[in-house]
Amino acid sequence: MLKVCALYKAIKLPELIYNTRIDVQNKMTTRTDLRNLTQEEIVDYVESLGQPAFRGRQIMAWLYRPGISEFSQMTDLAKDFRRILSEHAYMSSFQNPLIERSKDGCVKFGFRLDDGKMIESVLIPEPDRNTLCVSSQVGCAMNCSFCLTATMGFIRNLSPAEIVNQVCAVGDFLRAESKGNLIGSDRVTNIVFMGMGEPLNNLDNLLKSLSILTEQRGLDLTNRRITVSTCGIVPQMQILGENSTANLAVSLHAVDDETRDKLMPINRRYPVAELIEACRTFPMAKRKRIMFEYILLKGINDSDAEAHKLAKLLRGIPCKINLLPYNESPAIPYKSPSYSRILSFQKILMNAKYSVFVRSSRGSDISAACGQLAREENSDIS
Ligand code: SF4
C-alpha cells in the first residue's frame, strides 16, 4: 500500500520530472516520463513511491519491450501499483514518423516532438548491420559553415527519452519491415550520434541515454557499437571518456587553425593543438581507436600538402580516418573535390600507415546524408 508522504516526495523530485502533459479532462498534470530515467533513477523513483528496489528493475525490463505501451501490460506488477504508476508516470514514444526512403536503401525519419519541433534520424541498412544516426538537439549552436543543421540555429536539447525513442521507433519500423523483405537484421545494431546537434553540448542527457541504450534491461546495445561524434568540445570529451566506453568520433575537417576557424567556429575556443592533445589523452580502452572525420571541400582542405599535415598531426594517436566527400547543397557554397583528388588524399594517408575510408554519400537524394539534416518546419513553429 502506498504512503501518501512517499507519493508527495515522488512528484516533488525535480530531477525526475522532464515533461508535463495535459490529461484528457484538460487538467494540467505533471507526470514523470519513465523513459527519461536510467535504471538507477527508476529504482529511486519506485522507492520514493514506497516500493522495493526490485520493482524498479521489473519496470525497466518492461519499458523497452516491443509492443508495451501501457502499465496495465506489466503483468508481474500488482494492480494497485500499476494504477498508481499510470496516475503519476507515463512512457513516451514516437508515433507515425514521416518516412522518406532513399534509392540506396537509407531511410530518413522525421519525428514530431511534444512541443511541435521536428527532429530527424537516418537508418543506414547494410547486410550485416543496421546503423541509426540519431539527433541529440533540435538545431545546433556550433555554426559549422558546411552544415545545413547549423542554418537552423540552436533551438533546444533533446531529453534522454527523445534520444532513446528515436531508436525504439526505428526498431518498431524494422520489425514491421522484416515481415517483408528487409536485407539486414530486424533491429538497430549500431548507433552514431551524428544527426542534428552537438551531443557533447547536451552531455547529461547524452550520458543518460547511453546508460538506457546499453542497460541489459533497456535496449541492451554494446558500447562497442555506439559512436558519439563531436566537433571538439574539449572539456566535455574528457567527461565523456570518464563516464562511457562508447566510441569517440572527432570532426576535424582541417589541419590548421586558420582554415578550421573558418569552417568550425568552435576552433576559436579549442584550437587544433588543444583538440589533438585532448585526443591523445582521451581515456580509452586498449585496442580502441578514435575516428577522425574529415570532410573534403574542393580547394579548401583537400590538397596533398594538407594530407601530409594531417598524417603528421595524428601521429601516435590510435585512430582511423573517415574521408567524407562533401554532400553539395544549394544553400551552402562548398563543392566536393574530384574523385582523383579524393584518391590522392587517401593514398598519402594510407602510405603513412593509417586506416583510411572514403565514405560514400548514402541518402543524399532524400537530404539524409552527412550534414544535410535540417527541418524547415522548426522555423515556423514557436
Ligand atoms: S556539423 Fe555538427 S556540430 Fe557542426 S553545426 Fe552541424 S550539427 Fe552542429
Side-chain angles (χ1 to χ4, degrees):
M1 185 78 180
L2 191 79
K3 293 180 200 142
V4 174
C5 57
L7 235 182
Y8 180 75
K9 185 177 152 208
I11 59 174
K12 282 291 193 185
L13 286 173
E15 70 276 19
L16 296 181
I17 296 167
Y18 283 86
N19 280 323
T20 56
R21 287 202 151 184
I22 298 173
D23 71 14
V24 283
Q25 280 88 36
N26 239 3
K27 284 187 290 185
M28 189 70 87
T29 52
T30 304
R31 294 192 292 161
T32 299
D33 182 356
L34 295 187
R35 283 200 165 172
N36 267 323
L37 308 186
T38 63
Q39 177 165 271
E40 212 182 335
E41 289 172 329
I42 292 179
V43 166
D44 288 348
Y45 182 74
V46 300
E47 283 182 338
S48 74
L49 292 175
Q51 294 286 321
F54 78 89
R55 291 275 178 239
R57 292 189 284 277
Q58 279 179 309
I59 293 172
M60 187 76 186
W62 283 106
L63 268 184
Y64 297 95
R65 260 188 224 179
I68 300 298
S69 57
E70 306 276 343
F71 294 118
S72 60
Q73 294 169 283
M74 301 182 178
T75 48
D76 56 0
L77 303 180
K79 269 193 181 162
D80 271 1
F81 183 47
R82 284 186 252 161
R83 182 183 52 75
I84 300 284
L85 274 178
S86 55
E87 281 168 14
H88 296 283
Y90 68 100
M91 50 190 127
S92 61
S93 63
F94 288 154
Q95 304 293 333
N96 305 318
L98 302 174
I99 293 178
E100 285 179 79
R101 294 171 192 262
S102 162
K103 283 185 278 192
D104 63 19
C106 284
V107 186
K108 183 165 80 170
F109 298 84
F111 298 110
R112 190 166 294 284
L113 308 177
D114 280 355
D115 61 1
K117 306 296 182 205
M118 288 290 291
I119 53 164
E120 293 182 335
S121 322
V122 180
L123 173 68
I124 307 147
E126 290 172 87
D128 62 337
R129 69 184 67 185
N130 284 317
T131 302
L132 185 67
C133 176
V134 295
S135 295
S136 54
Q137 298 181 311
V138 187
C140 184
M142 295 291 93
N143 207 19
C144 301
S145 62
F146 50 82
C147 174
L148 264 187
T149 307
T151 60
M152 295 167 60
F154 171 69
I155 299 176
R156 71 169 174 86
N157 283 329
L158 296 187
S159 67
E162 288 167 334
I163 296 173
V164 167
N165 282 339
Q166 296 170 62
V167 183
C168 296
V170 175
D172 291 344
F173 167 86
L174 284 167
R175 275 182 293 280
E177 287 275 297
S178 69
K179 291 174 191 141
N181 53 0
L182 193 78
I183 18 167
S185 155
D186 67 349
R187 64 187 297 251
V188 174
T189 57
N190 295 56
I191 294 177
V192 292
F193 282 82
M194 296 183 184
M196 288 178 174
E198 163 53 56
L200 298 194
N201 277 347
N202 186 15
L203 189 57
D204 287 349
N205 292 347
L206 169 73
L207 289 173
K208 284 187 185 194
S209 69
L210 289 175
S211 166
I212 297 165
L213 291 171
T214 54
E215 165 57 45
Q216 201 187 1
R217 293 185 183 86
L219 285 159
D220 197 20
L221 285 149
T222 77
N223 270 307
R224 227 170 6 95
R225 289 171 174 265
I226 300 178
T227 300
V228 176
S229 176
T230 180
C231 64
I233 320 267
V234 165
Q236 279 90 330
M237 282 167 60
Q238 183 70 21
I239 300 171
L240 175 72
E242 287 165 359
N243 289 280
S244 163
T245 55
N247 303 306
L248 178 71
V250 173
S251 299
L252 188 57
H253 307 326
V255 290
D256 60 81
D257 286 329
E258 195 186 341
T259 311
R260 199 163 188 271
D261 279 357
K262 285 184 198 142
L263 298 179
M264 307 178 76
I266 188 67
N267 195 68
R268 293 179 206 140
R269 193 163 345 148
Y270 304 113
V272 172
E274 204 176 321
L275 174 59
I276 295 299
E277 185 53 28
C279 294
R280 282 189 201 287
T281 56
F282 182 72
M284 204 165 52
K286 271 189 188 155
R287 293 203 301 276
K288 275 206 153 194
R289 292 190 280 178
I290 293 176
M291 174 68 76
F292 285 98
E293 308 278 343
Y294 195 99
I295 288 188
L296 287 163
L297 303 164
K298 184 178 179 179
I300 307 279
N301 63 358
D302 62 341
S303 68
D304 285 354
E306 276 151 324
H308 285 292
K309 275 192 201 163
L310 181 58
K312 197 170 163 196
L313 192 66
L314 302 185
R315 183 64 61 219
I317 302 177
C319 67
K320 295 180 267 189
I321 302 169
N322 265 351
L323 299 178
L324 311 158
Y326 185 61
N327 294 306
E328 294 180 13
S329 155
I332 293 178
Y334 297 118
K335 297 279 174 228
S336 182
S338 66
Y339 191 55
S340 61
R341 180 91 301 275
I342 295 165
L343 291 184
S344 170
F345 199 96
Q346 181 189 30
K347 196 167 171 217
I348 290 166
L349 293 167
M350 288 173 81
N351 288 343
K353 306 282 182 254
Y354 288 97
S355 302
V356 193
F357 306 92
V358 177
R359 294 294 177 200
S360 57
S361 302
R362 294 191 60 185
S364 54
D365 58 326
I366 54 167
S367 297
C370 208
Q372 288 187 322
L373 297 186
R375 298 297 306 197
E376 283 172 10
E377 291 96 321
N378 285 321
S379 54
D380 300 325
I381 300 166
S382 60

